[in-house]
Amino acid sequence: MNIQFNLNGIPTELDCVPDRRVIDLLREDLGLTGSKEGCGTGECGACTILVDGLPKLACLMLAAQLEGTRVETVEALEQTEEGRSLMTAFAEEGAVQCGYCIPGMEMASLALLRQGEPLSRERIKEGLSGNLCRCTGYVKIVDAVERAVKECCEI
């Protein structure tokens, strides 16, 4: 199947089997290894990407679902002010530790920042609730998102 979509701002066309998982397509076929497969069952959020601006789990999506969409992976964070603010805040707040969950956390956070709503700590926690971290205890991650909100897009 031939699929066409926009990947990190670049028009992309691929020939692949329609039931190929998006996480495998990104990592193995396109060399975009930022998104991680933590569980393969949609439980951990490490593979979170944005599809048409919404957080989606790449381990649960099929390649055919990308047709005509706009896809953003963690590799595109540095292309936007919000993304750069998130990357800096995560590093400076010490929210990265082992780093395995961070790509998914950052992408879920980016979706939150772009909603254009005020983000309290509770709203941030709710927005990140589908992403699991075994290292930080979440406090530093929420601190990082809160800092990014203040630095780039206080509403």
Side-chain angles (χ1 to χ4, degrees):
M1 169 180 194
N2 187 279
I3 58 171
Q4 296 179 20
F5 59 101
N6 186 296
L7 178 61
N8 296 332
I10 300 168
T12 303
E13 184 173 346
L14 295 172
D15 189 32
C16 67
V17 294
D19 62 350
R20 181 143 175 82
R21 295 183 320 154
V22 171
I23 188 70
D24 299 326
L25 182 94
L26 292 172
R27 292 181 60 80
E28 296 170 12
D29 300 350
L30 298 172
L32 297 174
T33 57
S35 299
K36 309 295 184 219
E37 181 172 4
C39 67
T41 61
E43 298 293 324
C44 74
C47 66
T48 302
I49 59 174
L50 300 185
V51 179
D52 292 332
L54 299 174
K56 300 289 181 180
L57 300 172
C59 74
L60 297 181
M61 288 189 71
L62 301 178
Q65 294 175 283
L66 296 180
E67 178 63 35
T69 64
R70 182 177 43 89
V71 177
E72 292 174 89
T73 67
V74 70
E75 286 85 358
L77 278 180
E78 63 188 325
Q79 295 176 5
T80 66
E81 180 184 354
E82 301 105 322
R84 289 187 298 273
S85 292
L86 279 169
M87 290 169 42
T88 301
F90 268 70
E92 291 179 358
E93 291 293 328
V96 293
Q97 292 200 5
C98 88
Y100 204 83
C101 70
I102 297 307
M105 289 282 187
E106 288 179 331
M107 295 309 290
S109 299
L110 182 61
L112 280 172
L113 291 177
R114 289 180 176 169
Q115 286 180 355
E117 301 171 0
L119 292 176
S120 65
R121 285 186 76 79
E122 285 307 309
R123 179 66 187 105
I124 293 167
K125 289 177 187 178
E126 180 184 313
L128 297 178
S129 65
N131 296 74
L132 301 178
C133 175
R134 296 180 182 177
C135 299
T136 68
Y138 302 98
V139 173
K140 291 181 179 186
I141 292 170
V142 174
D143 290 346
V145 177
E146 201 170 44
R147 179 177 178 165
V149 167
K150 288 176 182 162
E151 290 180 0
C152 79
C153 43
E154 186 67 43
I155 299 168

